[in-house]
Amino acid sequence: MTIPRHQDGHATHPVHEHESLWTATVSMPHFAPLAGDVEADVCVIGGGIAGLTTAYLLTQAGKSVVLLDDGPLAGGMTGVTTAHLSNALDDRYVEIERVHGVDGARLAAASHTAAIDRIDAIVKAEHIHCDFERVDGFLFLGPDDSHNGEELLDRELAAAHRAGLVGVEKLPRVPVGATGAALGPCLRFPRQAQFHPLKYCAALAAAIERASGRIFTHTHADSIDAGPPARIKAGSFTVVSHAVVVATNSPINDLVAVHTKQAPYMSYVIGARVPRGSVARSLYWDTHDPYHYVRVQPGPESAQHDLLIVGGEDHKSGQADDTQERHARLEAWARARFPIVDGGHAIECRWAGQVMETIDGLAFIGRNPLDKENIYIVTGDSGMGMTHGTIAGILLMDLLLGRENPWTTLYDPSRKSLRAGGTYMKEAANMAAQYVDWVTGGDVASTEEIRNNSGAIVRRGLVKLAVYRDEHGTLHERSAVCPHLGCIVGWNASEKTWDCPCHGSRFDKLGRVINGPSNRDLTTPGA
């Protein structure tokens, strides 16, 4: 679907709510559901960037691959990313070094650099037109860091150099272009990148098919039996494979082992129109907590504008009741720092996505804990989903081919990060506190208080219900208990979803699962 435009290239109303720029401008290729039993060397579950990259690299290495996705390709978090390709990690190198040591920080920097380089190489090898370009990245100070900002930047600069990043330097001001507000001193990270993630993923899917890989969408993986051989049940059919890669953003095959070491956060995004070339095409992010992140996406050739993509306003999933206000706060933040944002109808799209933050800042990629050696997972994007997803493809390919990889221990899902113990205890306490919702009242006393096209939790006797009233006034009731581990979901008014505050399962307004770790819909009351 394309964004409707006036003749001057400006978007018409309504604004694209709950739809990213990427999904509004590219239609992903369609694939048939699984319609029979199949066999393969590897079954990849999940068709986002991690699953597609893994499948692509394995098929290039001569392995037979079956990829399953329960929706359209890249229909999950890959479709709502802001698509920063960076080796400047969200948790910053001072923290990565504290938790993982200097050697671990060097491996982290090397792996994310390699991921950007691999995407660059794939784009060239496959002749992919996905708006890929190398850009600079700039870390600037948030308002709360103005008093000690120089010291903060100096420490991060030294840590980045110890991690082996070449060319990182401190500048007196952020070069955003002549029309940006003065953002003060910053660190410049050279040779970062950006792209259109769905154009890239669509091309990966085509390359997988050319290499005889088989892709099945709208195919739900109901269960995984490690075997060996592994057997993946999908409705009436079975995929038999030597190995399984679970690349579903949050693993659907693991109840506890990994989920206690990461926490789900919602992050909000706007796409604001700015005159073409008025903001330098770079990546920008600040030191605020939660931080803001910015990039520029070129507008259509026929238009006279670019889109300033601004993200932030993060909160723990299912633990905020002001979700509708967060896009407005992002818009105010953007206008204050980028006054060139047009007035009136400048906002073309608003969306949100979920980030899985690990306790030590790095993803979990490798053999699944407590499972047999033929089951692999990738999760814990930690705000770096595009590079972590590409790292997953490289690392998992090596593991599956029996090759040495220097990143194996760093990303091992079984790792114990003792220096991150404080974060672990904090997140565990927050998670445990969510079970108090079992004994509290509902959001409203009666379903009569629920407006059309809105939802709320309602207590009915001893049970809680997730109740949605559609645009026609009809009520849709589901149990409010997440099928994963029994937390009570909460209504996200901005995204019109039910979000689990414990482990990040998300369900659409009618209770259908759209993000794991739950592998089942919210149940019908009394079922």
Side-chain angles (χ1 to χ4, degrees):
M1 183 176 68
T2 57
I3 298 177
R5 300 182 181 278
H6 293 304
Q7 291 181 352
D8 64 0
H10 287 182
T12 63
H13 272 308
V15 172
H16 286 264
E17 301 280 5
H18 322 306
E19 183 176 30
S20 74
L21 168 66
W22 324 121
T23 57
T25 54
V26 166
S27 295
M28 291 297 289
H30 295 282
F31 295 90
L34 184 66
D37 296 340
V38 295
E39 296 184 9
D41 294 329
V42 181
C43 177
V44 177
I45 303 173
I49 190 169
L52 285 167
T53 303
T54 302
Y56 169 80
L57 293 177
L58 287 171
T59 56
Q60 294 298 304
K63 292 293 183 181
S64 63
V65 177
V66 166
L67 186 148
L68 308 178
D69 196 290
D70 67 354
L73 285 183
M77 294 305 103
T78 296
V80 293
T81 178
T82 53
H84 290 229
L85 301 174
S86 179
N87 59 17
L89 303 187
D90 281 9
D91 286 275
R92 301 205 287 274
Y93 281 98
V94 167
E95 178 65 10
I96 296 298
E97 183 182 289
R98 184 189 71 82
V99 175
H100 297 280
V102 174
D103 289 343
R106 291 183 69 87
L107 287 171
S111 61
H112 283 271
T113 301
I116 301 171
D117 291 344
R118 183 60 64 97
I119 291 171
D120 193 348
I122 292 171
V123 167
K124 291 173 180 173
E126 300 292 346
H127 306 288
I128 301 173
H129 300 288
C130 61
D131 308 329
F132 178 89
E133 62 178 313
R134 293 282 185 165
V135 296
D136 287 335
F138 297 96
L139 171 66
F140 62 96
L141 298 173
D144 296 337
D145 293 317
S146 57
H147 61 291
N148 66 345
E150 295 283 339
E151 179 188 357
L152 187 154
L153 292 178
D154 289 341
R155 288 191 293 113
E156 182 63 13
L157 178 63
H161 286 165
R162 288 192 295 272
L165 292 181
V166 177
V168 182
E169 61 179 343
K170 185 178 174 183
L171 301 178
R173 65 182 298 273
V174 182
V176 297
T179 57
L183 298 178
C186 67
L187 296 185
R188 170 183 167 269
F189 293 79
R191 289 189 61 75
Q192 312 300 290
Q194 63 181 41
F195 68 166
H196 190 304
L198 296 195
K199 290 180 181 179
Y200 178 75
C201 286
L204 285 185
I208 291 167
E209 277 208 308
R210 287 196 299 272
S212 300
R214 290 164 288 175
I215 298 174
F216 302 97
T217 59
H218 302 285
T219 299
H220 186 79
D222 300 311
S223 64
I224 302 170
D225 180 352
R231 296 180 179 274
I232 301 91
K233 292 292 294 182
S236 302
F237 307 112
T238 301
V239 179
V240 178
S241 64
H242 298 298
V244 180
V245 172
V246 181
T248 53
N249 183 253
S250 187
I252 58 171
N253 59 312
D254 186 351
L255 286 179
V256 176
V258 170
H259 301 300
T260 59
K261 297 191 290 185
Q262 62 182 9
Y265 284 79
M266 290 297 299
S267 192
Y268 296 79
V269 186
I270 59 171
R273 190 175 61 246
V274 295
R276 183 182 293 280
S278 61
V279 180
R281 289 224 286 268
S282 301
L283 309 182
Y284 309 91
W285 62 100
D286 67 11
T287 60
H288 194 62
D289 186 17
Y291 76 104
H292 301 86
Y293 46 100
V294 183
R295 60 162 285 195
V296 180
Q297 175 67 14
E301 292 184 6
S302 60
Q304 297 302 311
H305 70 270
D306 296 327
L307 277 186
L308 188 72
I309 301 174
V310 182
E313 290 295 324
D314 300 11
H315 66 83
K316 287 290 291 291
S317 294
Q319 298 185 34
D321 57 8
D322 62 346
T323 57
Q324 286 182 305
E325 301 168 17
R326 293 182 182 251
H327 284 122
R329 295 204 290 267
L330 271 184
E331 184 176 346
W333 183 92
R335 289 184 188 278
R337 287 154 184 82
F338 300 89
I340 197 65
V341 171
D342 289 354
H345 304 326
I347 307 303
E348 287 201 359
C349 41
R350 301 186 182 98
W351 74 89
Q354 183 167 265
V355 176
M356 300 304 297
E357 293 283 1
T358 66
I359 61 173
D360 61 8
L362 297 176
F364 297 114
I365 305 167
R367 289 190 174 92
N368 190 45
L370 307 179
D371 219 328
K372 295 187 178 179
E373 292 190 353
N374 61 336
I375 308 296
Y376 300 80
I377 63 170
V378 49
T379 187
D381 57 277
S382 296
M384 310 291 296
M386 299 296 98
T387 46
H388 267 141
T390 305
I391 290 167
I394 299 169
L395 176 53
L396 292 174
M397 174 186 64
D398 284 347
L399 292 176
L400 286 160
L401 295 178
R403 301 194 303 216
E404 294 282 333
N405 187 297
W407 314 331
T408 301
T409 301
L410 183 70
Y411 291 106
D412 185 358
S414 298
R415 70 181 184 267
K416 293 178 172 60
S417 305
L418 298 179
R419 292 178 183 176
T423 303
Y424 176 86
M425 295 303 294
K426 177 182 175 182
E427 294 292 0
N430 177 280
M431 193 181 303
Q434 305 315 308
Y435 287 95
V436 173
D437 289 344
W438 272 86
V439 297
T440 60
D443 300 331
V444 295
S446 166
T447 58
E448 299 301 320
E449 300 178 44
I450 301 174
R451 300 186 304 274
N452 283 9
N453 199 26
S454 185
I457 298 297
V458 177
R459 175 168 288 284
R460 188 171 295 162
L462 296 178
V463 301
K464 279 190 167 181
L465 303 178
V467 182
Y468 169 71
R469 187 186 295 275
D470 65 26
E471 58 272 22
H472 305 295
T474 302
L475 292 176
H476 304 266
E477 298 184 352
R478 294 292 181 269
S479 169
V481 179
C482 176
H484 177 231
L485 285 177
C487 278
I488 301 297
V489 299
W491 175 248
N492 183 327
S494 174
E495 290 297 288
K496 309 296 183 187
T497 58
W498 300 103
D499 300 346
C500 177
C502 289
H503 306 105
S505 298
R506 299 182 69 212
F507 309 84
D508 71 11
K509 57 194 176 185
L510 299 180
R512 296 171 296 212
V513 64
I514 55 176
N515 195 84
S518 176
N519 202 26
R520 293 184 289 122
D521 300 339
L522 296 178
T523 60
T524 302

